[in-house]
Amino acid sequence: MIIAVDGPAGSGKSTIAAAVATRLNASHIDTGAMYRALALKVIRRALAPEDPNAVAGVLPGTEIVVGNGRVTLDGEPVEGLIRAPDVTAVSSVVAQHQAVRIWMVDRQRMVIHRAPGGAVVEGRDIGTVVLPDADLKIYLTASEEQRARRRAAERGASEEEALLEVSSRDARDASREHSPLRAAGDAVVIDTTDLSIDEVVDSVLLAMRERLKA
Ligand code: DC
């Protein structure tokens, strides 16, 4: 079973995808972590993240591996470094470039198809581009205020700061030319604003059972 989980920042993707993967004994693949790892490399090399040629230039020779909470960049574990505010902002900028997206999608498909016991894959373009034939597509949403509140609690930032981060990143992710953030036509849309984690996980598992029956 391959499940795609897309949605904007703070919609609950990571928490829900990890919980659903645990319940199903499947792999959890966080594709956002791959864009974040590339952003870290771009920052370390002091490259301009908005320059498509500069960013494309680092792709050959780059190795990013993700799975079940682990993220390595060229062999170095970077889980602890990729959630920093500067990496977060740059991840959404490097994700705009077509060469980057092609490179990422190739690698993502390879990991997903090798995952034993299926995969729960989270991102922005999983149901639309990476896995148009996923067994189940989930699109999580939540009000901007609630998403900012969650981000602030996770990161220890103020809600105002988090609101600014979430709204500027969403605007960039949803308006970019290549693979913008949007729900696939056949996605099950779940508004998580007023739902607990368990309620969202149960809704996903219910949608999966219905899909299996159909
Ligand atoms: O899911 P996240 O917040 O860790 O993702 C970080 C950034 O990476 C996000 O702002 C946009 C980009 N991204 C993307 O373009 N496509 C994906 N499938 C996943 C993430």
Side-chain angles (χ1 to χ4, degrees):
M1 183 98 192
I2 294 189
I3 304 181
V5 181
D6 290 299
S11 57
K13 292 188 306 294
S14 291
T15 308
I16 301 307
V20 170
T22 302
R23 292 276 287 270
L24 299 177
N25 232 336
S27 298
H28 168 212
I29 297 165
D30 173 6
T31 63
M34 298 178 70
Y35 291 92
R36 287 171 178 272
L38 177 64
L40 178 63
K41 187 160 182 171
V42 165
I43 292 169
R44 284 175 166 176
R45 297 235 171 142
L47 300 171
E50 56 287 338
D51 177 348
N53 296 325
V55 177
V58 300
L59 294 173
T62 294
E63 189 195 43
I64 296 171
V65 182
V66 296
N68 299 324
R70 287 183 303 274
V71 189
T72 61
L73 169 64
D74 301 331
E76 173 194 354
V78 292
E79 300 87 3
L81 303 174
I82 59 171
R83 311 278 158 196
D86 58 336
V87 179
T88 300
V90 168
S91 64
S92 158
V93 178
V94 297
Q96 298 178 104
H97 306 313
Q98 191 175 26
V100 169
R101 303 211 67 87
I102 292 169
W103 189 93
M104 291 285 177
V105 171
D106 265 1
R107 278 151 188 82
Q108 289 159 6
R109 287 187 180 142
M110 238 165 358
V111 199
I112 294 160
H113 290 115
R114 278 200 212 124
V120 183
V121 188
E122 59 157 304
R124 301 287 187 292
D125 61 338
I126 309 304
T128 51
V129 176
V130 181
L131 299 170
D133 298 325
D135 300 302
L136 176 66
K137 298 177 187 176
I138 301 289
Y139 188 86
L140 299 181
T141 62
S143 72
E144 198 166 65
E145 291 70 26
Q146 177 66 293
R147 295 190 289 109
R149 233 173 278 136
R150 288 176 186 158
R151 265 297 129 109
E154 263 168 35
R155 309 276 189 265
S158 72
E159 276 180 31
E160 292 73 32
E161 244 178 292
L163 186 61
L164 208 66
E165 182 237 297
V166 159
S167 61
S168 67
R169 208 144 58 94
D170 285 350
R172 202 183 293 121
D173 294 343
S175 66
R176 67 183 174 220
E177 183 186 353
H178 307 292
S179 315
L181 165 70
R182 63 179 177 79
D186 53 350
V188 176
V189 179
I190 303 174
D191 184 339
T192 69
T193 309
D194 298 316
L195 298 179
S196 69
I197 294 170
D198 284 345
E199 286 172 324
V200 183
V201 171
D202 287 345
S203 307
V204 174
L205 295 174
L206 182 69
M208 190 196 78
R209 281 193 292 272
E210 281 172 1
R211 194 54 58 93
L212 285 173
K213 260 194 265 161

